[in-house]
């Protein structure tokens, strides 16, 4: 800037003295124009660099917010690998922008020490963020592996329970058939006893009649006990048999 001012003053003095040649004047004006253009170019370059840095800082702030949210999700066992991958992609984009800015800085005619230091610091921050996301991805992977293992274990146990339930159901069905068969046998035994009682011989002597009656009553009572047991276990025909046999017993 000082050089631009000095050249401007020199040009003004020479013009006012009217002793400068046209050639010298043109050379001075060319130098002045070049310096002015260079100055404007540097201003535009610094402005562009500042805008780029601003975008990078905004992106880093967004990454930081997403990372904190991901940490909470990891603690709550609700984190998804897609969340970490999204942050990782954003970090990669920031790294590319920093590398591009660093390359432009190295090619610049004038080195901006402040910009260099800022780029270095930002790269360190990004590296730390990247390492943190890598650790979080490992935690998520372990969580997913644990969930998959638990799911497989639950599936295996569920299949085992289903097998046991089917086995129990088959055994229950077999048991029910066996019980039904036993109930039918008890009922049938009652029928046989009742028929034996019915077929007791008729006798003429009073003493013998009493013996036969007592024997018949005893047989009927045995048959009645069988009917009642069959009825208690759900036999459908037992109730009618009980009523009929009780009538027979009452008539003895």
């Amino acid at each position: 800037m000082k050089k631009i001012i000095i050249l401007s003053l020199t040009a003004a003095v020479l013009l006012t003295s009217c002793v400068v040649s046209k050639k010298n004047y043109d050379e001075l004006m060319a130098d002045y124009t070049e310096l002015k253009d260079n100055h404007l170019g540097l201003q535009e370059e610094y402005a562009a660099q500042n805008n780029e840095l601003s975008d990078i800082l905004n992106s880093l702030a967004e990454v930081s917010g997403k990372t904190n949210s991901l940490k909470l999700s990891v603690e709550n066992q609700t984190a998804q690998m897609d969340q970490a991958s999204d942050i990782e992609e954003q970090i990669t984009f920031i790294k590319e922008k920093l590398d591009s800015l660093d390359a432009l800085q190295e090619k610049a005619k004038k080195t901006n020490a402040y910009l260099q230091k800022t780029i270095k610091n930002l790269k360190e921050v990004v590296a730390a963020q990247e390492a943190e996301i890598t650790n979080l991805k490992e935690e998520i992977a372990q969580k997913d592996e644990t969930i998959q293992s638990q799911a497989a274990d639950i599936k295996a146990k569920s299949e085992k329970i289903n097998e046991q339930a089917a086995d129990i159901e088959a055994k229950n069905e077999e048991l029910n058939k066996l019980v039904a068969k036993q109930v039918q046998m008890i009922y049938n035994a009652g029928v046989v006893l009742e028929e034996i009682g019915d077929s007791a011989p008729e006798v003429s002597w009073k003493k013998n009649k009493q013996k036969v009656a007592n024997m018949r009553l005893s047989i009927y009572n045995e048959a009645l006990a069988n009917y009642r047991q069959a009825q208690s276990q759900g036999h459908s025909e037992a109730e009618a048999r009980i009523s009929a046999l009780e009538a027979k017993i009452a008539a003895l």
Side-chain angles (χ1 to χ4, degrees), residues 227-251:
Y227 288 152
R228 285 175 176 163
Q229 185 176 351
Q231 183 191 33
S232 69
Q233 295 185 27
H235 198 288
S236 60
E237 300 175 16
E239 185 176 359
R241 282 282 188 172
I242 291 171
S243 298
L245 187 51
E246 285 177 342
K248 287 182 182 180
I249 292 171

Side-chain angles (χ1 to χ4, degrees), residues 2-18:
K2 287 182 179 180
K3 189 173 181 181
I4 295 173
I5 295 171
I6 291 170
L7 286 173
S8 299
L9 291 174
T10 302
V13 169
L14 289 173
L15 283 172
T16 53
S17 64
C18 297

